[in-house]
Amino acid sequence: KPVTRAGFIAMVNNLFGFVDEKRDSCSDIPADAWYSEAVSRAAAAEIVTGSEGEFRPGDPVSRQEAAAILFNAFRLSGTSSSAEKFQDSDDISDWAKLQIGVLLDKGFIGGRSGNKFEPAGSLTRAESLTLIENMTSKGNIFIRKGRTIPENLTVEGDIFLAPGISGAEIALKGIDIKGRLVIMAKDIKIKVEDKTKISNVYIIKSASGASLDIKSGSKINEVVLDAPAKFTGEGTISSVVSNVAGSLFETQPLEIT
């Protein structure tokens, strides 16, 4: 049985635990519907939009819609033309080609028989769960309420600090994060210590008030700021890409753009 757009959004919301809500984003979402909260939170997180003011909650989610939603939810980026390899690539909407290509390149999603992607094809619940599992099992870790980060760990993928832990205090001890530390929680305080190494720290737009205390011997290769943050400590930050003003640095990064 195909999964509806509302059902798929509920799955993604359960994974990330979005908190902020954007009500009245679509005219066809009754306030008392079981999916109303999930859709309003997904809209606030900017992972989904309606079409001409409607969300179409009861329609089956298409393969290209699911790819775009997950691309946005996981805060992926990059360039890719891999979607062009399919025989039916002309059927893929322009707004989904990059997203599908990036997911293909990362091994998160594949085509169907006959070298076709079938962008308008629907997803069953089993296929939806498999797709989400593919994206969460590639070395990624999700930190939600009640879960701590192990010490002295190598993380091949990303660590997501979910919105539901806003205001928490997190310690990263002896961790080597090969991917990204994606900060989605507000007012979070992070101690980076015991020679922790982080390839990339990404603070999303809604994650205001973050502070990172980087102890001597620990290193962050790159910081990308879509929200202002505070950085203290004697550790090293190699470069910062700041898309917003207002950040504070106790120790100046080697490069800021």
Side-chain angles (χ1 to χ4, degrees):
K1 182 180 179 180
V3 169
T4 63
R5 285 167 53 85
F8 190 75
I9 285 297
M11 291 182 188
V12 176
N13 188 62
N14 287 339
L15 175 64
F16 282 92
F18 298 120
V19 176
D20 292 342
E21 297 188 19
K22 183 180 179 182
R23 295 286 180 175
D24 303 323
S25 58
C26 295
S27 61
D28 58 347
I29 305 296
D32 59 350
W34 66 266
Y35 49 79
S36 175
E37 182 180 88
V39 174
S40 67
R41 291 182 176 184
E46 299 182 344
I47 68 169
V48 68
T49 58
S51 176
E52 298 180 355
E54 295 185 344
F55 181 71
R56 299 179 285 110
D59 287 0
V61 65
S62 70
R63 285 167 52 78
Q64 65 179 0
E65 288 172 341
I69 289 168
L70 291 174
F71 179 95
N72 293 336
F74 280 78
R75 272 26 187 211
L76 298 176
S77 61
T79 59
S80 176
S81 59
S82 294
E84 301 290 346
K85 72 178 185 179
F86 294 109
Q87 288 186 3
D88 58 350
S89 61
D90 289 344
D91 296 334
I92 300 175
S93 298
D94 289 341
W95 51 261
K97 284 187 176 179
L98 168 64
Q99 291 89 332
I100 291 170
V102 170
L103 265 62
L104 284 165
D105 293 343
K106 292 181 175 293
F108 295 148
I109 197 170
R112 287 184 169 173
S113 61
N115 192 33
K116 293 183 178 181
F117 185 76
E118 297 184 11
S122 59
L123 289 174
T124 65
R125 178 173 178 80
E127 288 173 327
S128 298
L129 291 173
T130 297
L131 176 56
I132 292 174
E133 174 65 20
N134 287 345
M135 297 191 70
T136 57
S137 63
K138 301 291 184 178
N140 295 328
I141 295 176
F142 290 80
I143 304 302
R144 297 182 287 267
K145 283 186 177 179
R147 183 170 183 183
T148 58
I149 302 176
E151 300 178 12
N152 303 312
L153 178 72
T154 297
V155 180
E156 297 295 337
D158 301 332
I159 292 181
F160 292 85
L161 302 183
I165 63 169
S166 292
E169 297 184 1
I170 299 290
L172 302 177
K173 297 183 177 181
I175 297 179
D176 185 358
I177 304 175
K178 303 292 187 182
R180 303 172 299 165
L181 175 66
V182 183
I183 300 175
M184 310 176 84
K186 297 179 181 179
D187 301 317
I188 196 164
K189 296 177 175 62
I190 304 171
K191 286 186 178 181
V192 184
E193 52 193 343
D194 292 351
K195 298 182 179 180
T196 286
K197 295 185 292 183
I198 307 174
S199 177
N200 176 282
V201 172
Y202 175 37
I203 303 179
I204 72 170
K205 184 169 64 175
S206 59
S208 58
S211 64
L212 289 84
D213 185 14
I214 309 164
K215 300 299 186 182
S216 178
S218 292
K219 179 179 180 180
I220 298 174
N221 185 50
E222 181 184 53
V223 175
V224 179
L225 295 168
D226 282 345
K230 181 180 179 181
F231 297 85
T232 59
E234 299 177 351
T236 303
I237 301 175
S238 295
S239 67
V240 173
V241 177
S242 182
N243 299 315
V244 64
S247 293
L248 298 174
F249 294 91
E250 185 176 274
T251 301
Q252 286 297 306
L254 301 180
E255 178 183 3
I256 299 180
T257 57

